[in-house]
Amino acid sequence: MPPKEQITSSMKSDVFGEISLKIEDLCVDFLLSGGDLRAVYHLDFELPAHKMTGLVGESGSGKTTLTSAILRSVSTPGEITQGKIFFENQDVLKLSDEKLRRFRWNEIAMVFQAAQNSLNPSMTIQEQFAETIMAHRKNISNKEMMEISRKLLKQVKLEPERILRSYPHELSGGMKQRVMIAFAQLLDPPVLLLDEPTTALDVITQDYIFTLIKQMHDQTHNTMLLSTHDIAIVARVCDYMAVMYGGRIVEMGDIFTMFESPLHPYTQMLIKAAPSLVGELKERVAIPGSAPDLMKHHEGCIFADRCPYCYDRCQSEEPKLKVVGEEHLAACHRADIGKEGR
């Protein structure tokens, strides 16, 4: 992989213009004793460059599996069985072990949802920062490492001197999560994946961390993919939103279009079900039915059993993700007539 300063994004999209990541026909299977579970199903996805994209969907929709697949770190017994993941016009799935090691953290880094499980309990924060930097940049001095560490901790509103000498157990959950956000930026990666970065934190701390993430993005203009179940947060901090259901992207577009004119029934129902959006709580409507069984083959639309607009074609033919407007994609047989025509 060429040095970072020589890399310039050259990938283009017919829909989103410049993109940082392109996924084609991706499948991720979990090989279980009772059968194979396809958590990501023939997925196509483009990540707009220098923007923050929110990836939303119910639990079990495949968000975490997708973000893990991008880094080739799907947990056992999961396995990427098909597809391509392009970054800077190279297929991540074909990288050698050494190139993959350099790719992670240097080019794409990830903030995991459980910070306490991501930090080594037997090492101070300073030791963990230094270990990561030294693994990728052999010639850096201790002074430079300390300067980078202090700067990043200040960006996430933490006091560097105290945090660097602390062990993880000496920090609160919110502090550890902010440490992980700083940690992910140690090598200044152009793409940052955030997988449910505020899980298990109280609502005040969650709001504070999302505000920090938004401020960081406004300053760096890095490409970010934020995986979350909180649609209200996506509306507040993101430029684009991608909706995932049953291992598929069923709709994606710029944030204004997705909230003003959503075309997929699942997107409409997610927005109506979100209790923290504008409106009375009594106006919120739960999505009927339950998530699909991904161990079973689905002949038509994966959402058909829960969709109020389902008709014969939906039961027999799977809709493809297609362009339905400017910077707007949807996988629905009725998407071309819009919600007014239903």
Side-chain angles (χ1 to χ4, degrees), residues 58-259:
E58 295 167 285
S59 296
S61 61
K63 302 188 301 296
T64 294
T65 303
L66 173 58
T67 51
S68 298
I70 292 171
L71 286 176
R72 277 175 56 183
S73 59
V74 177
S75 58
T76 305
E79 181 180 328
I80 299 173
T81 54
Q82 184 173 319
K84 298 177 181 179
I85 302 174
F86 290 104
F87 175 80
E88 301 294 350
N89 289 308
Q90 60 181 343
D91 188 352
V92 175
L93 300 183
K94 293 183 178 179
L95 294 179
S96 65
D97 289 345
E98 176 58 26
K99 287 185 177 181
L100 179 62
R101 185 190 69 81
R102 296 205 305 263
F103 168 78
R104 293 170 176 163
W105 298 106
N106 261 312
E107 309 302 338
I108 299 183
M110 186 167 179
V111 178
F112 298 91
Q113 58 181 280
Q116 61 270 27
N117 298 329
S118 303
L119 294 168
N120 189 328
S122 65
M123 298 172 65
T124 65
I125 302 302
Q126 180 176 327
E127 290 170 337
Q128 296 184 60
F129 274 33
E131 182 181 63
T132 300
I133 295 175
M134 288 297 294
H136 292 270
R137 299 179 183 174
K138 304 292 186 183
N139 298 324
I140 193 169
S141 67
N142 288 332
K143 180 179 179 182
E144 289 176 302
M145 281 194 293
M146 290 300 293
E147 287 177 352
I148 292 171
S149 301
R150 290 191 184 101
K151 176 185 176 182
L152 291 174
L153 288 172
K154 285 180 180 178
Q155 283 183 356
V156 295
K157 306 297 190 291
L158 290 172
E159 195 228 316
E161 301 308 322
R162 179 199 163 191
I163 300 300
L164 287 171
R165 64 173 181 263
S166 298
Y167 289 89
H169 73 269
E170 297 176 304
L171 306 178
S172 69
M175 294 169 75
K176 283 186 281 191
Q177 198 62 55
R178 282 184 279 163
V179 166
M180 284 308 302
I181 293 171
F183 199 98
Q185 299 181 91
L186 272 175
L187 303 176
D188 192 24
V191 178
L192 184 61
L193 311 177
L194 302 109
D195 181 25
E196 301 279 5
T198 61
T199 297
L201 300 178
D202 63 84
V203 292
I204 296 175
T205 305
Q206 288 181 29
D207 185 72
Y208 185 64
I209 287 178
F210 281 122
T211 298
L212 286 175
I213 292 171
K214 174 63 173 173
Q215 290 173 349
M216 285 165 34
H217 181 260
D218 290 343
Q219 293 170 2
T220 65
H221 300 290
N222 285 351
T223 302
M224 292 187 181
L225 179 63
L226 170 64
S227 171
T228 179
H229 62 275
D230 193 335
I231 288 187
I233 287 295
V234 172
R236 182 161 70 89
V237 304
C238 292
D239 303 295
Y240 292 89
M241 183 168 80
V243 180
M244 198 165 184
Y245 184 80
R248 302 145 169 87
I249 300 294
V250 296
E251 188 167 10
M252 181 175 176
D254 71 89
I255 206 69
F256 179 81
T257 299
M258 292 293 283
F259 280 90

Side-chain angles (χ1 to χ4, degrees), residues 241 251 255-272 307-309 324 328 330 332-342:
M241 183 168 80
E251 188 167 10
I255 206 69
F256 179 81
T257 299
M258 292 293 283
F259 280 90
E260 290 295 318
S261 306
L263 292 181
H264 198 284
Y266 181 60
T267 306
Q268 298 170 17
M269 296 166 84
L270 272 182
I271 293 172
K272 290 179 180 179
C307 181
Y309 309 110
V324 292
H328 193 186
C332 177
H333 293 310
R334 292 181 179 268
D336 55 342
I337 60 177
K339 59 183 178 182
E340 292 81 9
R342 290 197 168 100

